[in-house]
Amino acid sequence: MTSCVTRPPSTADTENSHGLEELAEIVAEGSPKPVESERDVFSIGPDENSDTTQPEEVADGLSEEERIAASLEERKQAKDVGTRVIETPKRPPNPYLTFGERIVVHEDGRITKPYPMPPGKGKRMLDLMKLMGTQGMFSVEIVEAGKAVVSNADVIQAVLLNNWDAELYQNLRAYPPTDNEVPMADWLVCTASFELLEEVEYFIELFGAGVPQIEIEAQVVELTETDVLDWGVPDASAVFPSNTFIDSLNFALPNAESANEAILSLGAIQDGTTVSAIIQAVKTWENVSIISQPKIAVREGGKAEILNTEELPFFNVKSISDTGTFNATLDFKEVGVKLYVVPRIIGSETLALNIDLEASQEAGSLTTVVAGTGPNAADLQTPIIAKRSVKTVVYLKKGEALILGGLTTTRTREVERKVPCLGDIPLLGWLFKSRFNQVTKSHVLFFIRPRILEGTDFQRDF
């Protein structure tokens, strides 16, 4: 037996055969007109010597040209009817490119994917999905343990695993180590067709993961002005004549400055009395500006904390005995700036900020206990803390910023030491006294600018 393989005719071969058959029929009917000159090819209008009479009409009322055109149209329609159109089947989408690698693809085309959620949120999400199912969005079937599952491509089969993801924390410094299991997430496992799982993923992204993020940029400006006048007489003496009641007078009223600067020496002799003095006077003005620009991102409704503090050490006296001994511990007090912000989105372009601001600093010290006796005595100082706080709720539009000011404190310190009676003499009394004046002004300004983070903000390079 001899077998042969015949190649099926291609579409191009079929079209060529139809074209030859049509040409043969037209030639047999005698419709083509031979080309006798160039004018027959390139002429547009009728020739003046040509016969402009219309061709004879056949019995059916059509001219020869119309009959040929109708014949060609009939053959074309017959060919279109007889030709079978082969459509290329649409390639199904790749589920791994759409839903990621953590999926299971079943033989019937359904797909299973787990969705981790914070503890307690899985049940609320499943309840919301069932509620939306009653409104015709999709149908949800809860799969329970020990229950037979029937494959259904029109239903979303969901399994809720409460506290499925947990982390085991161990105290490695204790022996034996102690274990503490902390729930981390619930898992909502959904099984559905490709189209339904796309709807589930969009639903979870919209109601579960699509929480807006807000960036809070704060600029803290701290201005401190210090004006100091330090006047003192570190050494002064007066020697009187021998026949006077007072032989000599020496005294020292030094100022707070330890360095030998701004020193003026005075000396005079009058009627046998010798006076010499060293005067030290210092005038100081300081201006300190501290600018910090912390930036933090927080979810809508969450609490953002910005802290800029330091700790002041002091001795906390616990008890004092009858003999004067005492028990004290070293403690710390925290001073600085604390800013707490809770942002909430109202509508699409309005932010409500719940702000709690506290600024504190050391305002002085207080002597609580004198340790020791005699020249070895020492004072135990406890710092005095001054606090200022602001609590408010503001509404801001896009591009608006908030300025919090008015946190200004003025601290004045005056210390004067003098020789009795002599220090009260006008003008001349400055030679018999020392004075220390210090005025400190502190200003704290807050500039807060919130901004709702959008999709492009999470795609920027770090």
Side-chain angles (χ1 to χ4, degrees), residues 106 110-117 121-127 129-130 139-150 155-165 185-192 197 200 204:
H106 302 274
R110 297 185 306 152
I111 304 170
T112 299
K113 181 178 179 179
Y115 293 95
M117 298 181 184
K121 194 172 184 178
K123 185 179 184 306
R124 296 194 297 269
M125 182 63 64
L126 186 58
D127 293 341
M129 292 175 63
K130 291 190 296 182
S139 179
V140 180
E141 177 186 354
I142 301 178
V143 179
E144 299 178 357
K147 180 181 178 181
V149 180
V150 179
V155 176
I156 301 172
Q157 296 177 343
V159 180
L160 178 60
L161 304 177
N162 289 316
N163 299 331
W164 178 261
D165 190 4
D186 297 341
W187 277 27
L188 181 61
V189 184
C190 297
T191 302
L197 196 60
V200 171
I204 294 178

Side-chain angles (χ1 to χ4, degrees), residues 165-387:
D165 190 4
E167 192 68 34
L168 185 63
Y169 290 94
Q170 293 182 330
N171 184 9
L172 301 181
R173 298 187 179 184
Y175 186 82
T178 57
D179 299 337
N180 184 20
E181 189 177 48
V182 179
M184 303 297 292
D186 297 341
W187 277 27
L188 181 61
V189 184
C190 297
T191 302
S193 61
F194 188 92
E195 293 77 11
L196 283 179
L197 196 60
E198 280 187 321
E199 296 184 11
V200 171
E201 191 141 309
Y202 175 76
F203 182 87
I204 294 178
E205 179 69 22
L206 178 63
F207 292 97
V211 179
Q213 305 288 320
I214 301 170
E215 180 186 71
I216 297 177
E217 181 179 357
Q219 185 175 8
V220 184
V221 180
E222 301 180 38
L223 301 176
T224 302
E225 299 179 5
T226 304
D227 191 2
V228 178
L229 174 62
D230 193 2
W231 171 281
V233 182
D235 186 15
S237 62
V239 179
F240 299 97
S242 58
N243 57 353
T244 59
F245 179 73
I246 301 175
D247 184 26
S248 63
L249 176 65
N250 297 315
F251 64 91
L253 297 171
N255 55 359
E257 294 291 339
S258 59
N260 294 326
E261 55 183 359
I263 295 178
L264 176 63
S265 298
L266 298 177
I269 300 175
Q270 181 68 29
D271 295 334
T273 301
T274 303
V275 178
S276 63
I278 298 176
I279 301 174
Q280 184 175 13
V282 178
K283 176 75 173 179
T284 306
W285 183 81
E286 295 181 0
N287 185 10
V288 180
S289 177
I290 302 175
I291 300 177
S292 57
Q293 292 180 320
K295 186 183 296 185
I296 189 173
V298 63
R299 58 157 288 170
E300 192 267 341
K303 183 177 74 171
E305 299 182 6
I306 298 177
L307 306 179
N308 184 14
T309 61
E310 63 178 349
E311 293 186 342
L312 299 178
F314 71 99
F315 286 101
N316 187 8
V317 179
K318 299 296 184 179
S319 61
I320 302 177
S321 63
D322 297 337
T323 59
T325 61
F326 59 90
N327 295 325
T329 59
L330 182 63
D331 292 342
F332 296 88
K333 285 188 177 182
E334 193 175 51
V335 295
V337 178
K338 300 178 182 179
L339 177 62
Y340 305 93
V341 181
V342 177
R344 297 188 183 277
I345 299 177
I346 300 177
S348 59
E349 296 186 355
T350 303
L351 274 174
L353 299 182
N354 190 354
I355 300 174
D356 185 358
L357 172 64
E358 179 184 305
S360 60
Q361 65 177 2
E362 184 181 5
S365 59
L366 179 65
T367 302
T368 55
V369 175
V370 178
T373 58
N376 297 325
D379 297 339
L380 293 183
Q381 305 285 337
T382 301
I384 301 174
I385 307 300
K387 291 185 179 181

Side-chain angles (χ1 to χ4, degrees), residues 86-131:
I86 301 176
E87 296 182 357
T88 304
K90 186 178 180 180
R91 189 173 183 179
N94 190 339
Y96 293 97
L97 296 178
T98 305
F99 303 109
E101 299 180 354
R102 299 180 61 182
I103 61 173
V104 177
V105 181
H106 302 274
E107 294 181 356
D108 57 358
R110 297 185 306 152
I111 304 170
T112 299
K113 181 178 179 179
Y115 293 95
M117 298 181 184
K121 194 172 184 178
K123 185 179 184 306
R124 296 194 297 269
M125 182 63 64
L126 186 58
D127 293 341
L128 183 59
M129 292 175 63
K130 291 190 296 182
L131 178 62

